[in-house]
Amino acid sequence: MANNIWAIPLQTTNFNIIVALLGGFISLFGLVSYLVKERYYLSEAFIALAIGVAFGPNGANFIRPNDYAQCDKANVSGIDCQDDLNSITLNFSRLVLGVQLVLAGVQLPSKYLLKEWRSISLLLGPGMTCMWLATSVLVWALAGQPPFLHALAVGACVTPTDPVLSAVIVKGKFADHNIPKELQSLIIAESGANDGLGYPFLFFALYLIKYIGSGATSGGAGEAMGLWFAFTWGYTILLSVLYGAVVGWIGKELLHWAEERNYVDRESFLVFAVSLALFVLGTCGLIGTDDVLACFIAGNTFTWDDWFRLETMDDSLQPTIDKLLNVTIFLWYGAFIPWTLFHENSVMASWKLVLLGLSVLVLRRLPWVFAMHKWIPQIEEVKQALFVGFFGPIGVSAVFYIFVSLEFIEEHLSDEDGNPRGDVMKLGETIRVVVWFLVVCSIVVHGLSIPVGKLGYLAPRTLSRAVSESLSEDLRAQRQRRHSVIKSCLGILGIGKEEPRERSPPHGSITITSARPIQVTSAARIDTSGAGTPRSEREIRFPDDVI
């Protein structure tokens, strides 16, 4: 009985473990955050992903996604469990994207989308189309040549550039020193707008798979294109743009009204953009439109007159909330990613996945941005074009489109029992394997590229400096040895001996030199009264007994 009373009541619940781990990691990372981010230029997304892997099911198993979805319950099947996990990850990704995109829209200068529509249109039109097609061709070639429509669906998931990972190159000391402000704004605008514009590329492929795929039972290309134009472009895209603009404008006017009358306190004023993001996410989710694009448009419209952006420019509340969400989502990804699928799948061998990852990082974006950079005023130099072309990260937005695709397959390409149609049996697995692997590749490569690039830039200079200093010391030593040998040889031959020097005058004596004769008279003292006359004209008198 005493043992039971004095026993330590450990409560190792999932909530206690995950909160302790999350708080401990953020605290420890915060202690060295300046060193990690501003000295070594490491991405916090990469570090959080690595911690998630280390403490997830493939590591210490402190973060247990299966438990959160109640996969250990006997009455829950594996399929239902996976659906719950997918739903958790999808909604978590929506939350992070929504907040990030509203804040991205707020960061842009006044009327930016209107003023820079030409540059943005180039990146969102020809740029995204080329990125989509290039990635789809690579997937088709390396995934065993599946139906090309399937490759188009996979390529559409990774076409948008991720606003969360793009923040690495538009914030902090590296961005301030290396990227002009105009180019930073362009990167923010592109990464914010193209997230929502991934819908047309994805549903172009999915509608065609549904109506003209080998397993299609009705409809045709006409019906597919009708739905694509009416539902995807009309309802999903245009309605989202209009809804986001209206909500953002109304929010701006209401906040102006309340602030002028001193109805709103400072804390509520600062958090208004985040609450606006939550409202847009929820309402767009209710009507089934593009909440991601609506959030970005709402954020940009909200600061259309630059008032809110300038008022909160020096405030750290919004970046703090943004950082907490980013760190948490990548911790979750590290624990949730299906790592075993990368080497145990029926789609691609591991070496093909690696080859695909490298090919996509090089060919998905870089050639097209480089080809267009002369028509984009913000990209002034070739090295800037290479930089912007390389930094097109794949992250949270790609994960979002994974689950949008899986939901469409389950609802529209499956039978009543939930089994996928015969021609799309591997489509869901292909999307999961390829897109998750490309997300991991992008987080690792783009998270390490700046420090590795800095190391590659500084190492040759340091090595060159060390080598030149070593060579200089060697040359100096050789010169000294050569001089001593020559001097010794000349001494042996009796050549070059020094002439005896004249004895220096005794201490205290005076040596007199002059450019003209000096008059010496018999006097008892030295006449120094003519301090202002030239030295050659002064009289120097000595006593008569000296002369």
Side-chain angles (χ1 to χ4, degrees):
M1 191 70 176
N3 291 337
N4 292 334
I5 293 176
W6 292 101
I8 298 176
L10 294 177
Q11 299 291 329
T12 56
T13 62
N14 287 322
F15 178 79
N16 292 337
I17 292 173
I18 192 64
V19 170
L21 177 64
L22 182 62
F25 167 68
I26 295 176
S27 299
L28 293 176
F29 178 74
L31 295 176
V32 294
S33 57
Y34 182 85
L35 180 67
V36 170
K37 295 168 62 177
E38 304 297 343
R39 293 282 182 87
Y40 301 124
Y41 302 106
L42 287 172
S43 165
E44 61 188 23
F46 168 73
I47 298 173
L49 182 78
I51 296 297
V53 175
F55 289 96
N58 296 290
N61 200 28
F62 288 164
I63 306 175
R64 299 187 281 263
N66 288 338
D67 290 359
Y68 309 149
Q70 298 183 342
C71 293
D72 56 342
K73 296 292 184 65
N75 59 344
V76 178
S77 65
I79 296 177
D80 293 336
C81 169
Q82 188 61 49
D83 289 342
D84 291 341
L85 284 175
N86 291 348
S87 178
I88 292 172
T89 308
L90 171 61
N91 290 313
F92 195 6
S93 301
R94 285 179 61 213
L95 174 64
V96 174
L97 276 177
V99 174
Q100 178 73 39
L101 289 173
V102 167
L103 298 182
V106 169
Q107 292 174 26
L108 294 176
S110 174
K111 303 178 180 65
Y112 186 84
L113 295 181
L114 183 62
K115 294 177 180 178
E116 304 297 338
W117 68 269
R118 290 184 178 87
S119 299
I120 297 173
S121 298
L122 279 175
L123 292 172
L124 298 181
M128 286 189 71
T129 303
C130 292
M131 290 164 61
W132 173 47
L133 295 176
T135 307
S136 301
V137 169
L138 291 172
V139 172
W140 177 80
L142 293 173
Q145 297 185 355
F148 191 67
L149 290 177
H150 294 193
L152 288 175
V154 178
C157 294
V158 296
T159 295
T161 54
D162 187 63
V164 179
L165 295 177
S166 294
V168 176
I169 60 171
V170 295
K171 295 179 181 179
K173 187 172 70 174
F174 177 84
D176 294 339
H177 291 174
N178 297 277
I179 305 176
K181 290 295 183 182
E182 295 79 8
L183 190 54
Q184 292 181 29
S185 298
L186 181 65
I187 294 172
I188 292 173
E190 184 210 359
S191 63
N194 69 10
D195 269 10
L197 292 178
Y199 269 93
F201 298 99
L202 177 62
F203 280 92
F204 178 85
L206 292 179
Y207 282 139
L208 288 177
I209 292 172
K210 178 178 180 180
Y211 289 106
I212 68 171
S214 58
T217 57
S218 62
E223 187 167 355
M225 290 300 95
L227 282 172
W228 186 63
F229 279 108
F231 188 78
T232 303
W233 279 106
Y235 187 79
T236 306
I237 301 298
L238 294 181
L239 179 60
S240 299
V241 172
L242 292 174
Y243 182 76
V246 170
V247 172
W249 185 82
I250 293 176
K252 173 179 68 71
E253 293 298 320
L254 289 176
L255 190 60
H256 261 300
W257 178 83
E259 198 269 341
E260 288 173 355
R261 291 162 176 76
N262 292 325
Y263 289 168
V264 58
D265 61 10
R266 184 63 181 173
E267 292 78 11
S268 300
F269 182 87
L270 295 176
V271 82
F272 196 87
V274 178
S275 61
L276 187 69
L278 300 179
F279 176 79
V280 174
L281 272 176
T283 52
C284 283
L286 290 173
I287 63 177
T289 189
D290 188 350
D291 48 3
V292 175
L293 181 60
C295 284
F296 175 72
I297 298 298
N300 191 249
T301 309
F302 181 64
T303 187
W304 195 252
D305 56 359
D306 239 10
W307 169 66
F308 186 80
R309 184 180 72 89
L310 296 177
E311 286 288 330
T312 59
M313 183 177 292
D314 298 327
D315 180 70
S316 60
L317 176 62
Q318 295 174 10
T320 302
I321 296 174
D322 183 36
K323 177 182 178 179
L324 290 174
L325 289 175
N326 294 348
V327 169
T328 307
I329 190 68
F330 284 103
L331 270 173
W332 174 262
Y333 285 167
F336 176 80
I337 291 174
W339 298 97
T340 56
L341 278 181
F342 297 154
H343 57 85
E344 296 178 2
N345 64 79
S346 59
V347 177
M348 298 179 67
S350 299
W351 68 270
K352 285 188 176 183
L353 272 176
V354 174
L355 181 60
L356 176 64
L358 296 175
S359 302
V360 168
L361 291 177
V362 174
L363 301 176
R364 162 180 166 265
R365 176 179 172 87
L366 178 58
W368 324 117
V369 173
F370 185 80
M372 297 186 301
H373 81 277
K374 293 183 178 179
W375 293 279
I376 301 176
Q378 291 84 353
I379 304 178
E380 300 174 349
E381 304 173 0
V382 171
K383 64 179 183 180
Q384 290 180 356
L386 296 174
F387 184 80
V388 175
F390 176 72
F391 270 95
I394 304 168
V396 180
S397 56
V399 176
F400 170 77
Y401 284 114
I402 289 177
F403 298 109
V404 172
S405 304
L406 295 179
E407 282 188 357
F408 185 89
I409 294 172
E410 182 180 356
E411 295 178 6
H412 300 281
L413 301 177
S414 302
D415 57 24
E416 295 179 355
D417 297 329
N419 299 317
R421 211 170 63 187
D423 61 318
V424 295
M425 290 292 293
K426 291 187 177 182
L427 177 57
E429 183 182 11
T430 303
I431 291 175
R432 292 183 66 209
V433 172
V434 172
V435 178
W436 271 121
F437 187 80
L438 293 178
V439 168
V440 173
C441 287
S442 180
I443 294 172
V444 174
V445 173
H446 290 123
L448 295 177
S449 54
I450 294 179
V452 170
K454 281 286 185 180
L455 181 63
Y457 173 73
L458 295 176
R461 299 179 63 185
T462 305
L463 182 61
S464 175
R465 189 183 303 113
V467 171
S468 64
E469 291 176 356
S470 177
L471 290 175
S472 299
E473 292 178 0
D474 292 343
L475 290 174
R476 194 179 303 113
Q478 291 177 7
R479 196 179 301 114
Q480 291 176 354
R481 287 196 298 269
R482 191 183 310 115
H483 179 70
S484 62
V485 170
I486 294 174
K487 187 175 180 181
S488 300
C489 293
L490 293 176
I492 294 173
L493 296 175
I495 301 174
K497 292 184 177 180
E498 297 181 356
E499 297 294 333
R501 298 179 179 175
E502 295 183 0
R503 183 177 300 176
S504 58
H507 180 70
S509 62
I510 302 174
T511 303
I512 304 174
T513 60
S514 177
R516 52 185 285 187
I518 302 175
Q519 180 182 0
V520 180
T521 61
S522 176
R525 61 186 179 84
I526 300 175
D527 183 11
T528 59
S529 60
T533 61
R535 291 183 181 181
S536 59
E537 298 179 3
R538 297 178 191 175
E539 288 188 350
I540 302 178
R541 303 175 185 273
F542 293 96
D544 292 337
D545 58 349
V546 175
I547 299 180

